Amino acid sequence: MSASTPPRPRLSLADTLRRQPPGAPVPSPCIGVCRIDEATGWCAGCWRTLDEIAGWGTSDDATRRRVWQAIESRQATGVG
């Protein structure tokens, strides 16, 4: 990301799930900022790859949780 690009928001599955009704499907991390960072290949808003974004609608909750774990790992690296 360039120096003029605002920092990415931090996303947390645990925080997101606390806002969901019990038994609801794992929600999308999309925050409506849809721009792929050329350096990382991740969306500037939700930290997902294009493949993760494209597959979200047909993914089961276990796969969605793995994507969320990948997001949290990416955030922990401090990249972006």
Side-chain angles (χ1 to χ4, degrees):
M1 294 201 143
S2 70
S4 63
T5 304
R8 295 176 185 198
R10 299 294 257 172
L11 303 173
S12 165
L13 177 58
D15 290 344
T16 303
L17 290 177
R18 274 194 285 278
R19 295 188 298 266
Q20 294 294 110
V26 174
S28 169
C30 180
I31 62 167
V33 177
C34 305
R35 185 179 59 251
I36 300 299
D37 182 281
E38 290 181 32
T40 63
W42 306 328
C43 175
C46 68
W47 297 75
R48 291 180 292 173
T49 66
L50 284 173
D51 287 342
E52 291 166 344
I53 293 167
W56 189 266
T58 58
S59 295
D60 60 19
D61 277 352
T63 301
R64 290 177 177 190
R65 287 177 184 276
R66 283 191 296 276
V67 170
W68 268 101
Q69 290 169 340
I71 290 167
E72 291 172 340
S73 177
R74 292 170 190 151
Q75 292 174 146
T77 67
V79 175

